[in-house]
């Protein structure tokens, strides 16, 4: 489990922060406000319960202490389609908890593929991670940082351009888990 956490932390620091794919991640990472929780669950019901408990922890912990949580599911969702369908259950959980507008989910998977994209399209790299990851985000915190960020709508296009310009060597270095 420690190795998995270390690999996700490396991805967070080298890819997400290192390539500046999320310009809002560096500060909470520097301040140790990001929790990486590696789930041992091997079925969806248990994982949904785990994610519920992580939401509860966010509810009970001030953002100054814990800004966001990455829930890693290394033993589930080998197929991206299964992962993608599970996202609907998490969204349903957020609604059921009455937390719409409080939390949002960002999604990452080793085989992430945007709708309408081909699996080998570079744009998919922006959401590819070593394991399936569910990023639990406080909407209020996002709203605060976006307010002070020029042109946040351009972030996805800038990210795509960034990963499209990576050399094959940089891709091998940053995404070793994608090399089969």
């Amino acid at each position: 489990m420690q190795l998995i956490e270390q690999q996700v932390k490396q991805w967070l620091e080298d890819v997400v922060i290192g390539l500046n794919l999320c310009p809002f991640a560096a500060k909470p990472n520097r301040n140790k406000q990001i929790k990486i929780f590696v789930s041992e669950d091997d079925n969806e019901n248990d994982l949904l319960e785990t994610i519920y408990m992580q939401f509860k922890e966010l509810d009970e912990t001030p953002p100054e202490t814990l800004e966001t949580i990455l829930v890693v599911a290394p033993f589930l969702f080998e197929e991206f389609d299964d992962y993608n369908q599970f996202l609907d259950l998490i969204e349903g959980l957020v609604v059921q908890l009455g937390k719409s507008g409080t939390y949002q989910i960002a999604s990452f998977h080793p085989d992430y593929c945007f709708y309408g994209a081909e699996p080998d399209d570079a744009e998919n790299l922006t959401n590819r991670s070593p394991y399936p990851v569910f990023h639990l985000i406080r909407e209020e915190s996002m709203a605060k940082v976006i307010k002070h960020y020029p042109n946040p709508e351009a972030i996805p296009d800038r990210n795509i351009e960034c990963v499209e310009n990576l050399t094959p060597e940089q891709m091998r270095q940053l995404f070793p888990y994608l090399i089969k």
Side-chain angles (χ1 to χ4, degrees), residues 106-139:
S107 54
F108 304 93
H109 188 278
D111 296 321
Y112 200 99
C113 187
F114 284 103
Y115 179 77
E118 294 298 319
D120 290 337
D121 288 352
E123 69 187 80
N124 296 317
L125 291 174
T126 64
N127 286 61
R128 288 203 174 160
S129 56
Y131 301 95
V133 174
F134 303 96
H135 181 190
L136 314 183
I137 303 168
R138 297 176 189 265
E139 285 202 17

Side-chain angles (χ1 to χ4, degrees), residues 14-26:
D14 292 351
V15 176
V16 177
I17 295 170
L19 295 177
N20 200 29
L21 298 181
C22 177
F24 317 116

